Amino acid sequence: MKNLYIVALFQFKENDLMDALELLKKLVFETRKEEGCLQYDLIEDHTNKGVFFIMELWESDEHHHQHNGSDHLMNFRNQSASMLEKSAQVYKGYKTF
């Protein structure tokens, strides 16, 4: 079983940054409690205002699949949708070296 690496990129509207940050913090706090979550870190881009990314490391695809159905992720998606400049970008892969 391979670990799954994910980078999720978000760009929020400037007027919604404070609310977006609170939603992101709640998402990170709840996700870190999940079985199979090895890393879930929120990073703010220091040159692009409103840009955040989450660095994720999951024990397996199955653990990530369970995360995708979690209440806290669904709530985040619903509550943050109107705050986003554009749709989130998500990159998934396995360590190659």
Side-chain angles (χ1 to χ4, degrees):
M1 187 171 7
K2 290 184 176 183
N3 292 343
L4 179 63
Y5 291 78
I6 299 174
V7 176
L9 177 66
F10 304 91
Q11 184 173 354
F12 291 96
K13 297 173 186 171
E14 192 170 337
N15 292 339
D16 293 318
L17 287 181
M18 296 301 290
D19 291 335
L21 186 55
E22 288 306 311
L23 289 176
L24 286 163
K25 286 179 182 178
K26 184 176 180 180
L27 174 65
V28 170
F29 180 77
E30 293 300 323
T31 300
R32 286 179 175 168
K33 297 178 190 176
E34 290 183 52
E35 182 181 339
C37 178
L38 303 176
Q39 176 184 351
Y40 205 85
D41 295 330
L42 176 63
I43 292 115
E44 183 175 6
D45 188 297
H46 73 279
T47 58
N48 297 298
K49 190 171 182 91
V51 175
F52 296 85
F53 53 100
I54 296 177
M55 303 290 296
E56 304 178 38
L57 177 57
W58 293 91
E59 193 173 319
S60 68
D61 285 306
E62 181 56 36
H63 288 103
H64 181 254
H65 179 72
Q66 291 171 8
H67 168 66
N68 276 337
S70 67
D71 288 341
H72 53 271
L73 181 58
M74 294 299 176
N75 289 337
F76 171 78
R77 286 178 177 159
N78 290 335
Q79 294 174 7
S80 67
S82 64
M83 299 177 190
L84 291 168
E85 284 284 352
K86 57 184 176 181
S87 297
Q89 295 175 294
V90 179
Y91 304 91
K92 301 177 186 180
Y94 303 104
K95 190 173 185 176
T96 56
F97 183 72

